PDB file of all heavy atoms in Angstrom:
ATOM      1  N   LEU G 369     -26.396 -12.795  10.330  1.00 97.00           N
ATOM      2  CA  LEU G 369     -26.506 -11.349  10.250  1.00 97.00           C
ATOM      3  C   LEU G 369     -27.944 -10.981  10.600  1.00 97.00           C
ATOM      4  O   LEU G 369     -28.882 -11.641  10.159  1.00 97.00           O
ATOM      5  CB  LEU G 369     -26.198 -10.854   8.831  1.00 97.00           C
ATOM      6  CG  LEU G 369     -24.746 -10.945   8.350  1.00 97.00           C
ATOM      7  CD1 LEU G 369     -24.683 -10.732   6.847  1.00 97.00           C
ATOM      8  CD2 LEU G 369     -23.875  -9.932   9.076  1.00 97.00           C
ATOM      9  N   TYR G 380     -26.338  -2.350  12.055  1.00 91.00           N
ATOM     10  CA  TYR G 380     -25.067  -2.153  11.357  1.00 91.00           C
ATOM     11  C   TYR G 380     -24.924  -3.165  10.223  1.00 91.00           C
ATOM     12  O   TYR G 380     -24.365  -2.864   9.164  1.00 91.00           O
ATOM     13  CB  TYR G 380     -23.886  -2.326  12.332  1.00 91.00           C
ATOM     14  CG  TYR G 380     -23.745  -1.217  13.328  1.00 91.00           C
ATOM     15  CD1 TYR G 380     -23.715  -1.485  14.690  1.00 91.00           C
ATOM     16  CD2 TYR G 380     -23.604   0.106  12.916  1.00 91.00           C
ATOM     17  CE1 TYR G 380     -23.579  -0.468  15.620  1.00 91.00           C
ATOM     18  CE2 TYR G 380     -23.470   1.136  13.835  1.00 91.00           C
ATOM     19  CZ  TYR G 380     -23.455   0.841  15.186  1.00 91.00           C
ATOM     20  OH  TYR G 380     -23.317   1.856  16.089  1.00 91.00           O
ATOM     21  N   ASP G 381     -25.422  -4.371  10.436  1.00 95.00           N
ATOM     22  CA  ASP G 381     -25.357  -5.398   9.391  1.00 95.00           C
ATOM     23  C   ASP G 381     -26.072  -4.913   8.136  1.00 95.00           C
ATOM     24  O   ASP G 381     -25.560  -5.059   7.014  1.00 95.00           O
ATOM     25  CB  ASP G 381     -26.015  -6.698   9.878  1.00 95.00           C
ATOM     26  CG  ASP G 381     -25.270  -7.325  11.039  1.00 95.00           C
ATOM     27  OD1 ASP G 381     -24.117  -6.920  11.304  1.00 95.00           O
ATOM     28  OD2 ASP G 381     -25.832  -8.230  11.698  1.00 95.00           O
ATOM     29  N   THR G 382     -27.257  -4.328   8.314  1.00 95.00           N
ATOM     30  CA  THR G 382     -28.046  -3.874   7.174  1.00 95.00           C
ATOM     31  C   THR G 382     -27.343  -2.730   6.444  1.00 95.00           C
ATOM     32  O   THR G 382     -27.269  -2.722   5.208  1.00 95.00           O
ATOM     33  CB  THR G 382     -29.445  -3.396   7.620  1.00 95.00           C
ATOM     34  OG1 THR G 382     -29.862  -4.120   8.778  1.00 95.00           O
ATOM     35  CG2 THR G 382     -30.459  -3.589   6.521  1.00 95.00           C
ATOM     36  N   ASP G 384     -24.161  -1.982   6.440  1.00 97.00           N
ATOM     37  CA  ASP G 384     -22.929  -2.437   5.782  1.00 97.00           C
ATOM     38  C   ASP G 384     -23.230  -3.239   4.523  1.00 97.00           C
ATOM     39  O   ASP G 384     -22.480  -3.174   3.541  1.00 97.00           O
ATOM     40  CB  ASP G 384     -22.075  -3.252   6.756  1.00 97.00           C
ATOM     41  CG  ASP G 384     -21.267  -2.366   7.697  1.00 97.00           C
ATOM     42  OD1 ASP G 384     -21.041  -1.193   7.347  1.00 97.00           O
ATOM     43  OD2 ASP G 384     -20.867  -2.837   8.769  1.00 97.00           O
ATOM     44  N   LEU G 385     -24.318  -3.998   4.521  1.00 98.00           N
ATOM     45  CA  LEU G 385     -24.739  -4.700   3.298  1.00 98.00           C
ATOM     46  C   LEU G 385     -25.144  -3.695   2.225  1.00 98.00           C
ATOM     47  O   LEU G 385     -24.795  -3.844   1.044  1.00 98.00           O
ATOM     48  CB  LEU G 385     -25.892  -5.658   3.593  1.00 98.00           C
ATOM     49  CG  LEU G 385     -25.530  -6.958   4.303  1.00 98.00           C
ATOM     50  CD1 LEU G 385     -26.793  -7.687   4.763  1.00 98.00           C
ATOM     51  CD2 LEU G 385     -24.699  -7.871   3.396  1.00 98.00           C
ATOM     52  N   GLY G 407     -10.899  -6.708  15.629  1.00 93.00           N
ATOM     53  CA  GLY G 407     -12.075  -7.177  16.343  1.00 93.00           C
ATOM     54  C   GLY G 407     -13.314  -7.218  15.467  1.00 93.00           C
ATOM     55  O   GLY G 407     -14.287  -7.910  15.776  1.00 93.00           O
ATOM     56  N   GLN G 408     -13.303  -6.472  14.359  1.00 95.00           N
ATOM     57  CA  GLN G 408     -14.448  -6.452  13.446  1.00 95.00           C
ATOM     58  C   GLN G 408     -14.292  -7.434  12.290  1.00 95.00           C
ATOM     59  O   GLN G 408     -15.111  -7.461  11.386  1.00 95.00           O
ATOM     60  CB  GLN G 408     -14.658  -5.040  12.905  1.00 95.00           C
ATOM     61  CG  GLN G 408     -14.989  -4.023  13.973  1.00 95.00           C
ATOM     62  CD  GLN G 408     -15.320  -2.664  13.382  1.00 95.00           C
ATOM     63  OE1 GLN G 408     -16.143  -2.543  12.499  1.00 95.00           O
ATOM     64  NE2 GLN G 408     -14.653  -1.633  13.887  1.00 95.00           N
ATOM     65  N   SER G 409     -13.245  -8.225  12.328  1.00 96.00           N
ATOM     66  CA  SER G 409     -12.975  -9.160  11.231  1.00 96.00           C
ATOM     67  C   SER G 409     -14.142 -10.118  10.992  1.00 96.00           C
ATOM     68  O   SER G 409     -14.564 -10.341   9.852  1.00 96.00           O
ATOM     69  CB  SER G 409     -11.698  -9.963  11.528  1.00 96.00           C
ATOM     70  OG  SER G 409     -11.474 -10.925  10.528  1.00 96.00           O
ATOM     71  N   GLY G 410     -14.675 -10.709  12.083  1.00 96.00           N
ATOM     72  CA  GLY G 410     -15.784 -11.654  11.956  1.00 96.00           C
ATOM     73  C   GLY G 410     -16.999 -11.026  11.317  1.00 96.00           C
ATOM     74  O   GLY G 410     -17.661 -11.635  10.453  1.00 96.00           O
ATOM     75  N   HIS G 411     -17.294  -9.789  11.704  1.00 97.00           N
ATOM     76  CA  HIS G 411     -18.448  -9.076  11.135  1.00 97.00           C
ATOM     77  C   HIS G 411     -18.291  -8.920   9.627  1.00 97.00           C
ATOM     78  O   HIS G 411     -19.221  -9.194   8.854  1.00 97.00           O
ATOM     79  CB  HIS G 411     -18.575  -7.699  11.802  1.00 97.00           C
ATOM     80  CG  HIS G 411     -19.481  -6.745  11.084  1.00 97.00           C
ATOM     81  ND1 HIS G 411     -20.857  -6.880  11.069  1.00 97.00           N
ATOM     82  CD2 HIS G 411     -19.203  -5.649  10.328  1.00 97.00           C
ATOM     83  CE1 HIS G 411     -21.388  -5.900  10.348  1.00 97.00           C
ATOM     84  NE2 HIS G 411     -20.403  -5.148   9.892  1.00 97.00           N
ATOM     85  N   PHE G 412     -17.100  -8.476   9.195  1.00 97.00           N
ATOM     86  CA  PHE G 412     -16.914  -8.241   7.765  1.00 97.00           C
ATOM     87  C   PHE G 412     -16.866  -9.536   6.960  1.00 97.00           C
ATOM     88  O   PHE G 412     -17.307  -9.578   5.810  1.00 97.00           O
ATOM     89  CB  PHE G 412     -15.659  -7.391   7.519  1.00 97.00           C
ATOM     90  CG  PHE G 412     -15.884  -5.934   7.785  1.00 97.00           C
ATOM     91  CD1 PHE G 412     -15.272  -5.303   8.862  1.00 97.00           C
ATOM     92  CD2 PHE G 412     -16.736  -5.191   6.995  1.00 97.00           C
ATOM     93  CE1 PHE G 412     -15.503  -3.966   9.130  1.00 97.00           C
ATOM     94  CE2 PHE G 412     -16.975  -3.849   7.250  1.00 97.00           C
ATOM     95  CZ  PHE G 412     -16.352  -3.235   8.322  1.00 97.00           C
ATOM     96  N   GLN G 413     -16.362 -10.605   7.557  1.00 97.00           N
ATOM     97  CA  GLN G 413     -16.387 -11.888   6.846  1.00 97.00           C
ATOM     98  C   GLN G 413     -17.823 -12.324   6.584  1.00 97.00           C
ATOM     99  O   GLN G 413     -18.134 -12.883   5.524  1.00 97.00           O
ATOM    100  CB  GLN G 413     -15.632 -12.966   7.657  1.00 97.00           C
ATOM    101  CG  GLN G 413     -14.144 -12.706   7.831  1.00 97.00           C
ATOM    102  CD  GLN G 413     -13.436 -12.315   6.541  1.00 97.00           C
ATOM    103  OE1 GLN G 413     -13.649 -12.921   5.491  1.00 97.00           O
ATOM    104  NE2 GLN G 413     -12.603 -11.286   6.613  1.00 97.00           N
ATOM    105  N   LEU G 414     -18.721 -12.065   7.537  1.00 97.00           N
ATOM    106  CA  LEU G 414     -20.148 -12.366   7.345  1.00 97.00           C
ATOM    107  C   LEU G 414     -20.738 -11.492   6.236  1.00 97.00           C
ATOM    108  O   LEU G 414     -21.494 -11.981   5.376  1.00 97.00           O
ATOM    109  CB  LEU G 414     -20.920 -12.125   8.648  1.00 97.00           C
ATOM    110  CG  LEU G 414     -20.759 -13.169   9.763  1.00 97.00           C
ATOM    111  CD1 LEU G 414     -21.360 -12.649  11.061  1.00 97.00           C
ATOM    112  CD2 LEU G 414     -21.426 -14.478   9.379  1.00 97.00           C
ATOM    113  N   ILE G 415     -20.416 -10.205   6.231  1.00 98.00           N
ATOM    114  CA  ILE G 415     -20.927  -9.280   5.214  1.00 98.00           C
ATOM    115  C   ILE G 415     -20.456  -9.714   3.827  1.00 98.00           C
ATOM    116  O   ILE G 415     -21.245  -9.785   2.874  1.00 98.00           O
ATOM    117  CB  ILE G 415     -20.462  -7.835   5.516  1.00 98.00           C
ATOM    118  CG1 ILE G 415     -21.058  -7.324   6.826  1.00 98.00           C
ATOM    119  CG2 ILE G 415     -20.808  -6.903   4.349  1.00 98.00           C
ATOM    120  CD1 ILE G 415     -22.555  -7.124   6.806  1.00 98.00           C
ATOM    121  N   PHE G 416     -19.151 -10.030   3.714  1.00 98.00           N
ATOM    122  CA  PHE G 416     -18.599 -10.437   2.406  1.00 98.00           C
ATOM    123  C   PHE G 416     -19.232 -11.752   1.937  1.00 98.00           C
ATOM    124  O   PHE G 416     -19.561 -11.906   0.753  1.00 98.00           O
ATOM    125  CB  PHE G 416     -17.082 -10.587   2.485  1.00 98.00           C
ATOM    126  CG  PHE G 416     -16.349  -9.342   2.927  1.00 98.00           C
ATOM    127  CD1 PHE G 416     -15.069  -9.424   3.475  1.00 98.00           C
ATOM    128  CD2 PHE G 416     -16.939  -8.086   2.821  1.00 98.00           C
ATOM    129  CE1 PHE G 416     -14.391  -8.282   3.887  1.00 98.00           C
ATOM    130  CE2 PHE G 416     -16.261  -6.934   3.237  1.00 98.00           C
ATOM    131  CZ  PHE G 416     -14.991  -7.044   3.774  1.00 98.00           C
TER     132      PHE G 416
END
Side-chain angles (χ1 to χ4, degrees):
L369 290 167
Y380 289 125
D381 295 346
T382 330
D384 280 338
L385 284 170
Q408 298 186 51
S409 176
H411 165 72
F412 282 111
Q413 295 313 315
L414 285 169
I415 295 293
F416 302 158

